[in-house]
Amino acid sequence: MNHEMIFNVENGGFDENLNHRIIEINDDDRNNNDNEQSVNYLEEKEDDKKEEEEEGEELDITTDYEYFDVIKDGGIKKRIIQEGKGEEHPPTDALCVIHYIGRRKNGDIIDNNFSKKTKNFFQFNIGRGEILSGLDGGIQSMKKNESAEFILRPEYAYGKMGCPPRIPANCEVVYEVYLKDFVEMPDDDKSVRSLIKKAEILKYEGNQLFKRNAFRKASKCYNRALDLFKKKSDLLNITPKESYDIKQIKLVLYNNIAACFLNLDQHKKSVISCKLALEIDKDNLKANYRLIQNYLATNDIEKAEELLKYALKLYPKNKSLKKEYRYCIKRIKEEEEKEKKRYKYLFTDKKK
């Protein structure tokens, strides 16, 4: 990162005391080992990039199946190189401690805070515009001790103009980042709007995990989002609009958790989430539909039929509900046929 362009110590609000606190937190043997691993890793990667640059090979940075979108428009793509530790992600304003190497598509290194001599880390406060917006957004998806690679479209990096001569106009760039640690700053923003925004970020992260069939991890993301609204002290004096927005995001989160547990065949947990969603909106299509699916999966045909009739009154043209209803009726008829055969055999045995 060009420090002159994206990091200003005077305006960045850096606290020397906080710097010492970071060092104290990370000065144990375990973290020193992590530090050494990150240094060795970046040394190897830096050497690899120099070799590729000398050979003039163009790197393929767009076809790796391991990449996934960090944001909806695909402007920030991520590939996890080394899994992090714990479940926490750096919140807005957190002081982050990182190593990074930035390069162009052809492998040219454009930005590098790593030095084999000093092995210094770069420190910045997330969410304050101190680094490239794409890196800011990408690092918010990382965990402590995680290494990841990010592909940034121009609008999330150096823009249309670039930064000549090193970075041409409309240049897509790649950054490898190691998140050594982060320290959460005192959070003065306990506004409902801030909580909703954090919940939306966690929801989107959960959705990305869900798409990769990581249902258990996705459910944890959704639950962390719900936990934001547990403290009643944070929800005092809220406006009707804020109250409505909280209910809507909780409704989506409960539905998503229900879908996770449905895919994991944990039907009791899925049913609980469906019912919590229906407490918010008893006519919600997704909550009713997933509850029906759970009932059918657990052979509770009567409850499934009753709920299907109710849901079809609300959504008479819904194809999925119609399909489930036909399947339910088929199951009922099959059960009736089995009952008739049982009675027939029972009656025959009595005659004998």
Side-chain angles (χ1 to χ4, degrees):
M1 287 160 222
N2 185 335
H3 289 204
E4 293 178 0
M5 180 169 63
I6 58 179
F7 183 68
N8 186 313
V9 173
E10 292 180 359
N11 298 326
F14 182 76
D15 185 343
E16 289 291 335
N17 294 325
L18 196 53
N19 183 31
H20 296 312
R21 188 148 57 101
I22 286 279
I23 293 168
E24 290 169 6
I25 289 171
N26 296 321
D27 206 23
D28 56 283
D29 291 337
R30 178 183 61 79
N31 281 335
N32 281 335
N33 290 335
D34 290 336
N35 182 23
E36 198 62 40
Q37 288 174 6
S38 77
V39 167
N40 292 337
Y41 167 76
L42 287 170
E43 283 179 353
E44 293 169 4
K45 295 303 260 183
E46 188 178 28
D47 291 338
D48 289 344
K49 297 301 170 296
K50 285 180 179 177
E51 289 175 10
E52 288 164 350
E53 184 179 354
E54 289 170 1
E55 294 171 4
E57 294 180 357
E58 182 163 289
L59 302 178
D60 183 358
I61 61 171
T62 58
T63 58
D64 195 320
Y65 69 94
E66 293 180 315
Y67 282 100
F68 60 91
D69 293 334
V70 175
I71 57 174
K72 291 182 180 179
D73 69 1
I76 307 172
K77 293 186 181 296
K78 177 181 178 181
R79 179 173 69 89
I80 296 173
I81 300 169
Q82 174 184 297
E83 290 285 350
K85 297 179 181 179
E87 295 294 335
E88 296 293 323
H89 301 271
T92 301
D93 290 332
L95 180 67
C96 296
V97 184
I98 65 171
H99 274 322
Y100 64 83
I101 297 175
R103 67 186 190 277
R104 289 170 52 190
K105 189 176 179 180
N106 65 2
D108 290 348
I109 293 177
I110 56 172
D111 200 2
N112 185 5
N113 87 310
F114 175 71
S115 166
K116 289 183 180 180
K117 292 181 180 179
T118 62
K119 300 180 180 179
N120 287 334
F121 286 87
F122 175 61
Q123 302 178 70
F124 73 99
N125 290 95
I126 206 159
R128 293 188 183 177
E130 296 172 4
I131 59 172
L132 298 176
S133 62
L135 277 181
D136 208 314
I139 291 169
Q140 287 186 60
S141 73
M142 297 179 74
K143 301 172 184 175
K144 290 182 181 181
N145 297 313
E146 179 182 322
S147 293
E149 188 174 74
F150 298 96
I151 302 174
L152 310 180
R153 285 208 308 244
E155 61 266 35
Y156 293 100
Y158 295 92
K160 293 181 180 180
M161 302 299 292
C163 188
R166 290 183 306 122
I167 305 164
N170 288 313
C171 182
E172 192 172 71
V173 295
V174 183
Y175 272 84
E176 292 173 28
V177 180
Y178 172 73
L179 178 58
K180 167 67 176 172
D181 203 353
F182 64 84
V183 173
E184 190 170 351
M185 304 293 282
D187 187 6
D188 297 325
D189 187 5
K190 293 292 185 181
S191 69
V192 174
R193 191 53 48 194
S194 173
L195 295 177
I196 292 172
K197 185 178 179 182
K198 290 175 184 177
E200 288 284 358
I201 292 169
L202 287 167
K203 184 192 76 173
Y204 184 73
E205 183 183 338
N207 290 350
Q208 297 304 306
L209 290 166
F210 189 96
K211 289 175 184 177
R212 290 153 54 197
N213 297 328
F215 303 120
R216 200 172 301 281
K217 288 184 178 180
S219 69
K220 288 180 180 179
C221 275
Y222 299 138
N223 273 308
R224 282 168 56 206
L226 285 168
D227 287 343
L228 293 171
F229 305 107
K230 280 189 174 179
K231 290 183 180 179
K232 292 183 178 179
S233 59
D234 293 339
L235 305 177
L236 298 174
N237 304 317
I238 62 175
T239 66
K241 175 68 167 60
E242 290 171 337
S243 178
Y244 173 81
D245 289 344
I246 289 172
K247 285 182 179 179
Q248 291 307 301
I249 193 167
K250 287 174 74 174
L251 177 62
V252 172
L253 292 167
Y254 283 132
N255 272 326
N256 290 358
I257 292 169
C260 288
F261 287 125
L262 187 60
N263 278 283
L264 292 167
D265 292 326
Q266 296 185 15
H267 299 291
K268 287 184 179 179
K269 290 182 178 180
S270 184
V271 166
I272 290 170
S273 292
C274 288
K275 289 182 176 180
L276 288 169
L278 291 170
E279 285 180 10
I280 298 171
D281 179 6
K282 65 183 180 65
D283 295 337
N284 184 261
L285 175 59
K286 286 186 177 179
N288 278 292
Y289 181 68
R290 285 175 184 148
L291 189 54
I292 289 163
Q293 288 181 304
N294 279 296
Y295 286 151
L296 289 172
T298 54
N299 293 315
D300 202 337
I301 308 300
E302 289 183 5
K303 284 185 179 179
E305 183 190 18
E306 182 182 351
L307 192 54
L308 273 163
K309 288 178 179 177
Y310 174 75
L312 280 166
K313 286 181 181 178
L314 298 171
Y315 308 98
K317 295 181 180 180
N318 187 275
K319 292 180 180 180
S320 296
L321 288 174
K322 287 181 178 179
K323 183 179 178 180
E324 293 292 1
Y325 187 70
R326 287 194 296 270
Y327 175 70
C328 186
I329 296 301
K330 181 184 176 183
R331 292 275 300 273
I332 290 170
K333 287 180 178 179
E334 288 174 354
E335 290 298 320
E336 287 175 349
E337 286 297 320
K338 287 180 183 178
E339 284 296 314
K340 284 180 182 178
K341 286 180 181 179
R342 289 195 196 100
Y343 280 115
K344 183 180 178 181
Y345 291 134
L346 182 62
F347 185 70
T348 304
D349 288 341
K350 283 184 177 180
K351 277 190 174 182
K352 290 180 180 180

